[in-house]
């Protein structure tokens, strides 16, 4: 059977950052026991369904929120249940997100012994002023200590997150962040330009004029600095916001961008199951943790909505999710999946974007150019509005999807990514 990816959402934080619009909740005490039991009940339910029963798990990802607020025994309990219910790929990537201020050498050792083999630290910056701007609660030295402790605990696959284009941040500030990031020798770096999302404190400040982002020219220079510096140190861009040393690409996130099946557990987590070349389903759990736990304990599932996708939806998503990858998308892969020529479906936008040198065509592979990369949103807009047929193929989900790390699954999320 084809394998799938398993995502487990832990929505709790001790503090909610002012830029965050993920499905997260600030609490003084994490209900670890109750939430873990809900995850186990949901696992038991889905393991009996025909969509997932007996299928091997290729990747497991604990995202949030702050998964590192859960103890290593709780993470171990979940992983033991997954192993009992599903065959696990021998080389499965098992990731856990962690805040530098919420881990110790003991907790990291516990996670590693439980089976976690990849850890992703939300370092964001090594500049205390930038961290304060972002509302982060840790200090730069805690990131350094956490990486050192992770290596001592046996982790070799370590990822660091960065946020750039922060108010008052300069290109020189970013260079210093890069220097300190690279000094820790991570296998993977995720570098996200700050985006202002509706419903966040940053959005309110931005609309009032009290939050001012760097100029576009400065942001473009930052993007070039990121590319050049990380590339010189062996971290190659493989997706719009992600860089890795050879063989250390995030296989879980690649599963999203490749359009593979994934099962999401936890409050607000969403799932994708492709039943044929022409149809698929997407659904999401209740976002509120209390409602999620109540429903799951009662029935084993907490599904809040489900949406059906037809072949046009799937072609659209395969195309644009694939364009996120530096490797782009292959016409042959598209034809194998859908039985139709990609260049017939998207003739006009492909011609227009290649003529403007925003996309390049190498054989049957289409990908963003260096010129098109910072204009990815505009490229997508051109494809979106290129034909009435594409417009009609986009169907709105019944309610907004809760984000989970970087799964860009819905059309709305693709366009805002």
């Amino acid at each position: 059977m084809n394998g799938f990816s398993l995502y487990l959402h832990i929505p709790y934080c001790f503090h909610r950052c002012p830029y965050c619009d993920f499905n997260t909740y600030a609490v003084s005490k994490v209900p670890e026991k109750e939430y873990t039991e809900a995850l186990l009940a949901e696992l038991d339910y889905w393991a009996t369904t025909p969509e997932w029963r007996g299928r091997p798990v290729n990747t497991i990802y604990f995202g949030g929120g702050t998964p590192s607020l859960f103890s290593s025994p709780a993470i171990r309990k979940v992983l033991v249940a997954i192993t009992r219910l599903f065959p696990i790929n021998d080389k499965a990537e098992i990731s856990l997100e962690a805040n530098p201020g919420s881990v110790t050498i003991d907790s990291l050792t516990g996670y590693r012994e439980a089976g976690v083999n990849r850890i992703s630290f939300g370092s964001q910056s090594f500049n205390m002023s930038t961290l304060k701007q972002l509302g982060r609660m840790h200090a730069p030295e805690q990131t350094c200590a956490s990486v050192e402790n992770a290596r001592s605990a046996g982790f070799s696959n370590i990822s660091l997150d960065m946020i750039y284009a922060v108010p008052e941040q300069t290109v020189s500030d970013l260079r210093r962040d890069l220097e300190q990031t690279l000094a820790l020798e991570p296998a993977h770096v995720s570098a996200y330009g700050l985006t202002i999302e509706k419903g966040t404190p940053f959005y309110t400040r931005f609309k009032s004029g009290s939050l001012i982002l760097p100029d576009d020219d400065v942001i473009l220079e930052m993007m070039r600095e990121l590319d050049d510096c990380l590339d010189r140190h062996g971290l190659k861009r493989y997706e719009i916001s992600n860089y890795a040393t050879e063989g250390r690409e995030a296989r879980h996130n690649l599963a999203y961008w490749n359009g593979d099946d994934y099962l999401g557990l936890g409050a607000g987590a969403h799932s994708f199951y492709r039943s044929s070349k022409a149809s698929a389903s997407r659904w999401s759990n209740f976002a509120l943790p209390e409602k999620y736990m109540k429903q799951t304990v009662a029935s084993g599932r907490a599904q809040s909505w489900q949406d059906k996708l037809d072949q046009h939806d799937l072609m659209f998503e395969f195309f644009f999710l694939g364009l996120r990858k530096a490797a782009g998308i292959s016409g042959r892969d598209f034809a194998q999946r859908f039985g139709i020529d990609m260049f017939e479906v998207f003739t006009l936008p492909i011609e227009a974007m290649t003529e403007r040198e925003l996309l390049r065509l190498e054989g049957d592979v289409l990908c963003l150019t260096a010129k098109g990369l910072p204009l990815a949103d505009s490229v997508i807009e051109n494809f979106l509005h290129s034909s009435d047929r594409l417009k009609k193929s986009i169907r709105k989900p019944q309610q907004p999807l809760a984000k989970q790390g970087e799964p860009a699954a819905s059309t709305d999320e693709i366009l805002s990514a």
Side-chain angles (χ1 to χ4, degrees), residues 323-359:
L323 277 182
R324 295 186 64 91
K325 300 180 294 182
I329 54 176
S330 161
R332 181 177 59 181
D333 291 345
F334 188 93
Q336 287 177 344
R337 181 167 294 200
F338 301 112
I340 191 169
D341 189 339
M342 176 177 77
F343 301 97
E344 292 181 8
V345 178
F346 298 105
T347 303
L348 294 178
I350 289 175
E351 289 180 353
M353 294 298 100
T354 51
E355 285 178 7
R356 293 172 58 187
E357 298 182 348
L358 299 176
L359 291 175

Side-chain angles (χ1 to χ4, degrees), residues 31 38 40 49 104 112 114 116 122 191 197 222 237 269 312 322 326 334 341-342 352 374 386 393-394 401 408 412 415:
L40 296 177
T49 62
T104 64
R112 186 67 190 92
V116 178
E197 305 288 355
M222 288 180 172
R237 180 199 290 274
H312 285 160
F334 188 93
D341 189 339
M342 176 177 77
S386 65
S393 75
I394 302 165
L401 297 179
D412 286 343
L415 295 177

Side-chain angles (χ1 to χ4, degrees), residues 85-98:
L85 295 168
F86 298 96
I88 307 296
N89 188 306
D90 289 341
K91 297 181 180 180
E93 177 190 87
I94 304 176
S95 302
L96 183 137
E97 293 179 348

Side-chain angles (χ1 to χ4, degrees), residues 5-11 35-36 39-40 42-43 57 59-64 67 75 78-79 82 94-97 252 256 263-267 269-270 292 404:
S5 291
L6 186 58
Y7 175 84
L8 302 104
H9 189 68
I10 297 178
Y35 196 84
T36 300
L39 289 175
L40 296 177
E42 195 177 10
L43 271 169
V57 176
T59 67
I60 301 170
Y61 195 101
F62 292 89
I75 299 298
V78 173
L79 289 175
I82 295 170
I94 304 176
S95 302
L96 183 137
E97 293 179 348
H252 184 85
Y256 294 130
L263 175 62
L265 310 180
H270 57 276
Y292 161 76
Q404 49 186 52

Side-chain angles (χ1 to χ4, degrees), residues 13-162:
C13 297
F14 284 152
H15 167 78
R16 186 177 171 89
C17 298
Y19 58 87
C20 178
D21 74 334
F22 288 6
N23 187 44
T24 60
Y25 303 87
V27 295
S28 57
K29 183 180 180 182
V30 176
E32 178 181 278
K33 181 178 183 298
E34 296 83 355
Y35 196 84
T36 300
E37 291 303 318
L39 289 175
L40 296 177
E42 195 177 10
L43 271 169
D44 283 336
Y45 172 82
W46 289 114
T48 65
T49 62
E51 295 91 345
W52 309 103
R53 182 176 57 240
R55 293 178 62 183
V57 176
N58 292 332
T59 67
I60 301 170
Y61 195 101
F62 292 89
T66 311
S68 53
L69 294 182
F70 272 44
S71 67
S72 56
I75 299 298
R76 177 190 293 273
K77 193 172 186 179
V78 173
L79 289 175
V80 167
I82 295 170
T83 304
R84 172 175 57 85
L85 295 168
F86 298 96
I88 307 296
N89 188 306
D90 289 341
K91 297 181 180 180
E93 177 190 87
I94 304 176
S95 302
L96 183 137
E97 293 179 348
N99 279 356
S102 65
V103 291
T104 64
I105 181 63
D106 290 338
S107 65
L108 289 165
T109 300
Y111 296 140
R112 186 67 190 92
E113 291 176 349
V116 178
N117 55 29
R118 180 179 183 273
I119 194 145
S120 177
F121 289 114
S123 52
Q124 316 308 359
S125 176
F126 289 87
N127 183 312
M128 200 64 217
S129 175
T130 302
L131 289 173
K132 287 181 178 179
Q133 279 274 13
L134 294 170
R136 303 294 294 182
M137 303 299 290
H138 69 274
E141 53 267 24
Q142 287 178 296
T143 297
C144 299
S146 295
V147 171
E148 181 180 347
N149 286 337
R151 287 207 170 90
S152 297
F155 285 98
S156 59
N157 197 355
I158 299 172
S159 178
L160 295 178
D161 286 357
M162 296 180 64

